[in-house]
């Protein structure tokens, strides 16, 4: 049974089975912690279910998911989800290699300057019956949110934004209204982001903004150790996974951190920004990280009674 068929057919939570409720939670439509846990508004749930049916993307594989940023809900897809939608259309015929520039005049196939990020990236997508590739350009100034991944891999992050733009340009009927996490990093107004030296700066920049209702002192307890330092130092999902597992074993995943989210929600948001394996020089091919095998989704997000393993 596919996940799309297992999801609810409507946004009325009173009609959901336990399995459907668990899948809705796993898809990111339940936010908050403790007494503040809450389901997304029904219009958001209905829109999310409609997007899943329309695109055929799997929320359990994190191809599409809901996320609450600063009290506002949004529906996002991964870059792999966008590629899958394009491929399933039957009209997709590949794309050009990503290119980067510092001045808008000279474009290079590999960005090797470690002293500064590229000013822009461009990608072209080929669609059947179109005479030329549809190019899209993403600028660093417009999309960089200043988070850890934008500092570690600015060229890769910018190339993903350009690719998502190009795919949406080539397949507007299929991808209209869906944006990737890389594109949405900068969604919050600059003024709403905390100062760079604030304790939650990297997470707040990555998630968009601080929450409108931070947890009270009674809702926050100290974790058994500092999990954020090793988590932020992780360069891949493979390096981040042991931090998640150790935090789970210590019972710290549901502890609220300084920005109002739980440690589990923080780690999941961080995971979305990371490649599966730690990149090496051999892994970088034309600006894209090569990820062998199927996507790994072994972290528990919800208990699914009598359901297929996520």
């Amino acid at each position: 049974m596919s996940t799309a068929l297992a999801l609810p057919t409507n946004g009325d939570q009173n009609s959901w089975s336990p399995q459907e409720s668990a899948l809705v939670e796993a898809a990111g439509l339940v936010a908050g912690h403790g007494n503040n846990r809450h389901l997304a508004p029904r219009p958001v749930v209905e829109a999310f279910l409609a997007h899943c049916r329309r695109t055929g993307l799997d929320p359990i594989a994190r191809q599409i998911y809901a996320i609450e940023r600063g009290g506002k809900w949004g529906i996002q897809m991964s870059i792999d989800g966008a590629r899958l939608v394009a491929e399933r259309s039957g009209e997709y015929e590949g794309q050009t290699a990503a290119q980067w520039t510092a001045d808008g005049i000279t474009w290079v196939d590999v960005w090797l300057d470690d002293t500064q990020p590229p000013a822009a990236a461009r990608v072209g997508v080929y669609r059947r019956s179109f005479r030329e590739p549809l190019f899209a350009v993403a600028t660093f100034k417009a999309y960089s949110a200043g988070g850890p991944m934008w500092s570690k891999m600015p060229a890769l992050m910018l190339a993903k934004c350009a690719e998502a733009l190009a795919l949406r340009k080539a397949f507007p009927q299929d991808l209209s209204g869906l944006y990737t996490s890389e594109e949405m990093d900068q969604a919050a107004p600059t003024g709403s982001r905390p100062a760079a030296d604030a304790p939650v700066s990297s997470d707040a920049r990555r998630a968009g903004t601080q929450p409108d209702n931070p947890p009270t002192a009674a809702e926050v307890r100290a974790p058994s150790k500092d999990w954020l330092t090793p988590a932020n130092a992780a360069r891949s999902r493979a390096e981040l996974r042991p931090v998640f597992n150790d935090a789970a074993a210590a019972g710290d995943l549901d502890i609220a951190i300084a920005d109002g989210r739980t440690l589990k929600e923080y780690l999941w948001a961080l995971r979305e920004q990371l490649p599966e394996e730690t990149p090496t020089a051999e892994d970088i091919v034309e600006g894209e990280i090569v990820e062998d095998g199927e996507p790994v989704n072994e972290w528990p997000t919800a208990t699914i009674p009598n359901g297929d393993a996520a």
Side-chain angles (χ1 to χ4, degrees), residues 13-292:
Q13 61 177 316
N14 294 322
S15 66
W16 297 345
S17 68
Q19 181 185 26
E20 290 172 336
S21 296
L23 287 171
V24 165
E25 181 176 350
L29 287 162
V30 176
H33 53 88
N35 294 331
N36 288 331
R37 288 179 65 79
H38 57 279
L39 178 69
R42 180 162 181 175
V44 175
V45 177
E46 295 281 7
F48 180 83
L49 296 175
H51 276 302
C52 289
R53 290 191 295 267
R54 180 171 66 89
T55 62
L57 295 180
D58 186 351
I60 305 306
R62 304 296 285 181
Q63 295 169 355
I64 186 172
Y65 53 94
I67 186 170
E68 186 181 29
R69 294 173 182 265
K72 296 182 179 180
W73 285 88
I75 300 171
Q76 294 181 187
M77 62 180 175
S78 67
I79 190 64
D80 288 336
R83 293 164 181 163
L84 181 59
V85 170
E87 182 180 354
R88 286 174 175 172
S89 72
E91 297 288 319
Y92 177 65
E93 295 190 338
Q95 56 187 263
T96 66
Q99 291 184 314
W100 296 268
T101 183
D103 56 13
I105 300 174
T106 302
W107 294 83
V108 297
D109 296 328
V110 179
W111 189 259
L112 298 177
D113 189 347
D114 293 332
T115 64
Q116 63 178 354
R122 70 181 179 187
V123 174
V125 169
Y126 292 96
R127 179 166 181 169
R128 184 177 301 169
S129 78
F130 280 54
R131 297 175 63 182
E132 301 290 341
L134 291 165
F135 276 94
V137 176
T139 64
F140 187 83
K141 182 178 180 180
Y143 285 97
S144 172
M149 292 305 296
W150 282 99
S151 299
K152 292 180 181 179
M153 301 178 181
L156 175 63
M157 298 290 284
L158 200 57
K160 286 186 176 182
C161 290
E163 182 182 354
L165 286 168
L167 287 168
R168 194 179 305 106
K169 190 174 182 180
F171 300 94
Q173 177 64 30
D174 306 284
L175 295 174
S176 178
L178 290 174
Y179 300 88
T180 63
S181 58
E182 291 80 13
E183 294 176 283
M184 295 303 296
D185 276 349
Q186 44 66 50
T190 303
S192 69
R193 297 190 184 111
D197 58 350
V200 297
S201 61
S202 62
D203 181 63
R205 284 195 297 268
R206 190 163 46 249
T209 183
Q210 296 185 65
D212 294 332
N213 300 306
T216 64
E219 295 172 325
V220 180
R221 64 181 176 87
S224 60
K225 62 177 290 186
D226 175 16
W227 300 108
L228 298 187
T229 297
N232 290 332
R235 295 168 296 168
S236 66
R237 295 177 183 180
E239 293 185 6
L240 183 63
R241 194 170 296 114
V243 179
F244 183 96
N245 292 336
D246 291 346
D252 287 349
L253 288 181
D254 292 328
I255 293 178
I257 57 177
D259 72 339
R261 291 187 296 171
T262 64
L263 177 63
K264 177 181 178 180
E265 292 168 333
Y266 178 93
L267 294 176
W268 265 108
L270 180 58
R271 179 185 186 275
E272 290 303 312
Q273 303 289 345
L274 297 173
E276 180 57 40
E277 300 295 338
T278 304
T280 64
E282 291 75 15
D283 292 330
I284 309 279
V285 179
E286 295 181 341
E288 181 60 83
I289 292 181
V290 177
E291 299 181 5
D292 296 328

